[in-house]
Amino acid sequence: MEEKQSMIGPIIRMTLVLMTFCGLVYPVAVTGIAQAAAPHKADGSLIYDENDKVIGSELIGQTFTEEGYFHGRVSSIEYNGAGSGSNNYAPSNEDMLNRTKESIIEWKKNNPETKISDVPNDLLTNSGSGLDPHISPKAAYVQLDRVSEATGINKAELEKLIEKHVQGRELGLFGEERVNVLKLNLDIKNMMKQ
C-alpha cells in the first residue's frame, strides 16, 4: 500500500508535465512556426474578394451550378468542411450506381453537346474526402462548350485560362495534374465584369 502511494506523486507530476507540453507548448510552437513560415497556408489558404471578404478556401471545393462557371466534383456532403468523407461504396453498390446515374442525367441536361463517354470520371464521382476543390484538366476542357456559350467568352480564351490554372504534380512525382475550380471561376467572373 505504501509503495502505491509513493507512485502517485510521480504519476501526477508526469501527467501534468505531459499535459502542459502536449496540450499547450507543442501546439503553440507549431502554430507559431507555421504562421512564420507559411502564414497563408496556416490560416487555411483562404481566398478573399475585392472587399476583403472571405469567399472560400483553396483547399475546400464549392458547388457551382450556374452554366457560366466550371463545375467541380460531386460531393455527397455538399462540401461541408465541418466533416469530411464520403460513403465507401463498392462499384457494384446500388446506392453508388443510382447516384452515378443521377450525375450522368444531370451532366447530359447541362452539357447536351458532349458525349457521356468523353466525360472524365472525376466529374461523376466523389473524392475520398468529399471536399476536393480540384478537377482534372480534361474535366475542365470538356466543359468548354457550355461555359463559352453561357459567358460569351471564346473557347481559345477559356483554354488559356484553364492552362493558367493547371497545377502540376507535387514535387513533380505525386498526384495528378489538377485545376482549382474556385480560382478558375473567379477569373471567369472577373472576365465577365470587363
Side-chain angles (χ1 to χ4, degrees), residues 69-173:
Y69 293 109
F70 287 89
H71 298 172
R73 296 189 74 156
V74 175
S75 175
S76 57
I77 60 169
E78 302 299 325
Y79 293 111
N80 182 349
S84 67
S86 58
N87 298 321
N88 191 16
Y89 291 142
S92 60
N93 182 283
E94 193 66 34
D95 290 338
M96 171 72 164
L97 292 171
N98 289 334
R99 199 205 38 76
T100 304
K101 286 176 187 175
E102 289 171 15
S103 294
I104 290 170
I105 290 167
E106 186 70 19
W107 174 267
K108 286 180 180 177
K109 183 177 85 176
N110 293 326
N111 304 275
E113 67 287 336
T114 306
K115 293 188 297 188
I116 198 67
S117 60
D118 292 338
V119 180
N121 284 339
D122 54 322
L123 288 176
L124 303 174
T125 59
N126 277 326
S127 64
S129 68
L131 300 174
D132 195 350
H134 300 99
I135 55 175
S136 65
K138 184 178 179 185
Y141 288 120
V142 80
Q143 299 181 61
L144 278 173
D145 289 333
R146 175 181 47 77
V147 175
S148 178
E149 187 177 320
T151 61
I153 302 170
N154 70 52
K155 286 194 220 178
E157 285 184 76
L158 288 173
E159 285 177 4
K160 286 180 189 172
L161 205 55
I162 292 169
E163 289 167 19
K164 172 185 159 188
H165 286 282
V166 172
Q167 300 170 344
R169 296 169 180 256
E170 295 295 325
L171 305 174
L173 300 170

Side-chain angles (χ1 to χ4, degrees), residues 13-90:
R13 282 191 298 278
M14 183 57 84
T15 300
L16 292 173
V17 167
L18 287 173
M19 282 174 46
T20 303
F21 180 77
C22 296
L24 184 64
V25 175
Y26 178 76
V28 168
V30 169
T31 302
I33 291 167
Q35 283 292 334
H40 176 69
K41 289 184 178 181
D43 290 336
S45 301
L46 300 176
I47 298 175
Y48 297 86
D49 67 7
E50 58 275 354
N51 301 319
D52 283 335
K53 180 182 173 195
V54 175
I55 55 173
S57 169
E58 296 174 25
L59 307 174
I60 298 177
Q62 294 184 16
T63 302
F64 293 94
T65 55
E66 297 87 0
E67 290 183 3
Y69 293 109
F70 287 89
H71 298 172
R73 296 189 74 156
V74 175
S75 175
S76 57
I77 60 169
E78 302 299 325
Y79 293 111
N80 182 349
S84 67
S86 58
N87 298 321
N88 191 16
Y89 291 142

Side-chain angles (χ1 to χ4, degrees), residues 69-70 135 140 158 161-163 165 179-189:
Y69 293 109
F70 287 89
I135 55 175
L158 288 173
L161 205 55
I162 292 169
E163 289 167 19
H165 286 282
V179 175
N180 187 294
V181 180
L182 175 58
K183 288 181 171 182
L184 178 61
N185 285 338
L186 285 174
D187 275 358
I188 292 205
K189 182 179 178 182

